[in-house]
């Protein structure tokens, strides 16, 4: 992965999960599970958690993403990291494209991609 890639910030901040295990069961379900990336600096992981928590409190799409994660059985911390990863991708796009962010346009794009919680 190149240093300026889309997920580079998520990896450095501990927002991108690590999948532990491989293969599938007879019913097709994955044998492993996703867990927190522990190779990231502890302060970065705490910042990621806080970023996701604050976004879930203040942004409609982030609170919908949080509710979806909790409904699917994710812990609060995992849901917050998921939100933070999305925010880091948005920030990367802001820097790359030099365009202001529009929440309504973002939610419309999510709906167009078939994201059920959008």
């Amino acid at each position: 992965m190149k240093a300026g890639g889309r997920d580079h910030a998520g990896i450095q901040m501990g927002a991108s999960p690590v999948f532990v295990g491989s293969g599938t069961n007879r019913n097709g379900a994955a044998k492993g599970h996703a867990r927190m990336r522990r190779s990231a600096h502890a302060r970065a992981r705490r910042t990621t958690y806080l970023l996701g928590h604050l976004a879930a409190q203040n942004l409609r799409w982030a609170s919908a993403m949080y509710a979806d994660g909790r409904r699917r059985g994710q812990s609060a911390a995992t849901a917050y990291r998921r939100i933070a990863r999305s925010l880091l991708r948005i920030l990367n796009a802001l820097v790359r494209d030099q365009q202001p962010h529009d929440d309504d346009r973002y939610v419309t794009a999510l709906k167009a991609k078939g994201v059920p919680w959008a």
Side-chain angles (χ1 to χ4, degrees):
M1 174 185 297
K2 64 181 184 174
R6 179 176 94 146
D7 288 328
H8 183 72
I11 291 169
Q12 296 299 313
M13 295 293 292
S16 295
V18 176
F19 189 78
V20 178
S22 63
T24 57
N25 295 330
R26 289 182 185 172
N27 63 2
K31 285 184 180 178
H33 62 281
R35 67 170 181 83
M36 181 174 63
R37 182 176 297 271
R38 298 206 185 270
S39 62
H41 193 275
R43 187 172 286 162
R45 290 194 316 261
R46 287 193 300 266
T47 302
T48 297
Y49 178 92
L50 183 61
L51 182 67
H53 183 73
L54 291 173
Q57 288 178 335
N58 295 297
L59 299 171
R60 283 188 329 235
W61 65 264
S63 64
M65 183 186 252
Y66 176 80
D68 176 66
R70 296 296 286 166
R71 182 186 52 77
R72 291 176 27 199
Q74 290 180 341
S75 68
T78 300
Y80 290 146
R81 284 191 301 272
R82 182 176 160 209
I83 293 166
R85 185 173 182 211
S86 294
L87 280 173
L88 291 169
R89 285 179 172 174
I90 289 169
L91 291 173
N92 185 42
L94 290 175
V95 171
R96 181 191 65 228
D97 300 337
Q98 298 180 355
Q99 296 289 326
H101 177 68
D102 180 13
D103 264 350
D104 295 329
R105 192 178 81 203
Y106 178 65
V107 172
T108 302
L110 291 174
K111 288 179 182 177
K113 291 180 181 179
V115 176
W117 54 262

